[in-house]
Amino acid sequence: VQCLEMTTKRKIIGRLVPCRCFRGEEEIISVLDYSHCSLQQVPKEVFNFERTLEELYLDANQIEELPKQLFNCQALRKLSIPDNDLSNLPTTIASLVNLKELDISKNGVQEFPENIKCCKCLTIIEASVNPISKLPDGFTQLLNLTQLYLNDAFLEFLPANFGRSMHKLAQLERLDLGNNEFSELPEVVDQIQNLRELWMDNNALQVLPGSIGKLKMLVYLDMSKNRIETVDMDISGCEALEDLLLSSNMLQQLPDSIGLLKKLTTLKVDDNQLTLLPNTIGNLSLLEEFDCSCNELESLPSTIGYLHSLRTLAVDENFLPELPREIGSCKNVTVMSLRSNKLEFLPEEIGQMQKLRVLNLSDNRLKNLPFSFTKLKELAALWLSDNQSKALIPLQTEAHPETKQRVLTNYMFPQQPRGDEDFQSDSDSFNPTLWEEQRQQRMTVAFEFEDKKEDDENAGKVKVNLLVFVSFFFIFFLFVRSVSLGYLRRIYALP
């Protein structure tokens, strides 16, 4: 059989008997895979196994229609024909009474035939990326349906007659209506009592209604990329919810009742218009990932310190001038990004977050970092500037030129745009006084040391070592310059 490839990931229930002439038996083939074979029609060899064939894969070909003979394969349990050129699904599909999985995604199918209801064993229908105009009444008689994918199908609404019988789909657990043209949440959705995962992303919804709270079994809810301005307080009814995605909407506030979603582990409200977060956010004791980047937040609630399970915190592109001291109680955070805010200092308590591995502080107004940073032993990446080339910039111990105190310095501070005076002249002259002055400006204090019992003798040694280093660098520079000029004179016979 041409293009007959049995993939290792797919179970072959039947067994191929290679020689029928000696055994007097026919070949038993249960799985055929013709994916990516550049086929324009279903191979005729398929029909030789119509009595035993259970799985047929025709993915990614150029098939325009399904022949009637295909539907004589009544043992077929899975029919996969995504990414082809089908324009319709023939009514003869009703013959496949044992069909459990149907994948016709990425085709040109405009509607399902009414007699799809005869395929009563169907549990999964994948019909995404098709110009489907409507769903037939018979659809609601698929009582064993557990997963229905209709994203990217140009749907504006679910027909009323579809809604009246929606409660019959008691087994439906996953419903994907993303990337369509819904302006409001279909009323029929809240009748699917066993629904566990719902995708409504990338539509035109303006409100997340309270009816969503009727879905007591809902675990995953994606409402991102809509136009949602308000979230009804009755969302707290989704007591089993673990993942709530509200990214890229027009939210100005979150309801206090969001704190009642006790099982929430992921909350994404980035790219909205939030000016504050409710204090009840601290009640989400199981929250592991929290993203509120790209908003208009001027502060974080102190209750954020109660998020003891938090592992990832992103608050990029807001207007935070400071962080609450309580953030130090989030001791399980490994990744924290505070890029593009207005932070001028960080609390000492940040040193308690000893599991931090990645910390992004670039594009802020920081002039120094608290000395408690020396406790962050797991820190692998510290970002302090947008044009930083290394993940972690080493920190050096020096003596402050004015106070003589021992400090940790880093050339990345202060994070302010450099003026023309920061660049050396292109002339041959070298001014060591100006060079030392610029070096000290770049080496602004990064860590404040609070120990008042500073050893003056040690500070003096550090200062002497620093002066010796500068002198050595200056002498080395003059030596290299002298050698280079001598070499050029020999090559070009310069005076």
Side-chain angles (χ1 to χ4, degrees), residues 14 80 89 132 186 209 215 222 315 319 400 443:
S80 180
L89 198 59
I132 299 172
L215 301 177
D222 188 350
V315 202
F319 302 108
H400 193 282
M443 301 294 283

Side-chain angles (χ1 to χ4, degrees), residues 344-351 365-375 395-400 402-410 413 443-454:
E344 297 183 1
F345 66 92
L346 296 176
E348 284 284 338
E349 288 76 9
I350 203 169
R365 300 178 179 179
L366 295 169
K367 296 180 180 179
N368 54 60
L369 296 176
F371 190 75
S372 61
F373 255 57
T374 56
K375 300 178 181 178
L395 302 170
Q396 299 85 26
T397 301
E398 293 188 6
H400 193 282
E402 297 178 1
T403 65
K404 310 304 180 184
Q405 285 184 318
R406 186 177 57 167
V407 294
L408 293 175
T409 61
N410 187 298
F413 291 117
M443 301 294 283
T444 303
V445 177
F447 291 79
E448 296 178 353
F449 186 61
E450 297 180 352
D451 188 1
K452 296 182 179 180
K453 298 179 180 180
E454 180 65 39

Side-chain angles (χ1 to χ4, degrees), residues 11 24 53 56 82 93 156 168 199 206 228 250 267-268 287 293 307 323 335 345 429-430 435 446-447 459 480 483 492:
K11 182 179 180 182
L53 189 62
L56 176 60
I93 195 172
E156 297 182 14
K168 294 181 180 179
W199 287 267
Q206 296 182 355
I228 299 175
M250 302 174 68
L267 176 59
K268 294 187 177 183
L287 195 64
S293 301
L307 303 180
L323 297 178
V335 177
F345 66 92
S429 61
F430 176 77
W435 184 85
F447 291 79
V480 172
V483 171
Y492 295 103

Side-chain angles (χ1 to χ4, degrees), residues 121-297:
C121 291
L122 270 174
T123 59
I124 301 175
I125 295 181
E126 168 63 271
S128 303
V129 197
N130 279 287
I132 299 172
S133 58
K134 64 178 181 179
L135 297 176
D137 290 341
F139 219 84
T140 58
Q141 297 185 34
L142 302 176
L143 304 184
N144 291 308
L145 201 62
T146 61
Q147 301 178 36
L148 175 58
Y149 301 95
L150 292 167
N151 57 289
D152 295 274
F154 304 99
L155 291 172
E156 297 182 14
F157 57 88
L158 295 180
N161 54 3
F162 183 74
R164 285 195 296 269
S165 301
M166 195 65 175
H167 65 279
K168 294 181 180 179
L169 301 180
Q171 304 300 319
L172 193 62
E173 296 182 355
R174 295 182 181 179
L175 176 60
D176 190 346
L177 297 174
N179 290 281
N180 282 291
E181 300 177 11
F182 290 99
S183 58
E184 59 183 17
L185 186 69
E187 294 181 1
V188 301
V189 171
D190 58 44
Q191 299 178 29
I192 315 173
Q193 295 301 312
N194 288 323
L195 196 63
R196 295 178 58 84
E197 298 180 20
L198 174 60
W199 287 267
M200 286 293 301
D201 55 299
N202 208 359
N203 277 278
L205 277 64
Q206 296 182 355
V207 176
L208 183 53
S211 59
I212 196 75
K214 296 179 181 180
L215 301 177
K216 304 296 183 182
M217 303 293 290
L218 197 64
V219 173
Y220 181 95
L221 177 60
D222 188 350
M223 290 285 177
S224 58
K225 297 182 181 179
N226 278 279
R227 303 172 188 171
I228 299 175
E229 298 180 4
T230 59
V231 176
D232 194 282
M233 62 182 299
D234 288 341
I235 192 175
S236 59
C238 300
E239 52 194 32
L241 199 60
E242 296 180 7
D243 295 83
L244 176 57
L245 281 58
L246 294 168
S247 306
S248 302
N249 278 286
M250 302 174 68
L251 293 172
Q252 296 185 5
Q253 64 179 5
L254 294 175
D256 289 339
S257 60
I258 202 167
L260 298 175
L261 301 176
K262 299 293 187 179
K263 295 185 178 181
L264 211 60
T265 60
T266 300
L267 176 59
K268 294 187 177 183
V269 291
D270 53 297
D271 193 17
N272 277 281
Q273 301 171 13
L274 298 172
T275 56
L276 54 84
L277 297 174
N279 288 325
T280 54
I281 206 81
N283 296 334
L284 305 177
S285 58
L286 298 181
L287 195 64
E288 297 181 1
E289 181 179 359
F290 183 31
D291 190 347
C292 55
S293 301
C294 302
N295 278 284
E296 300 174 14
L297 299 174

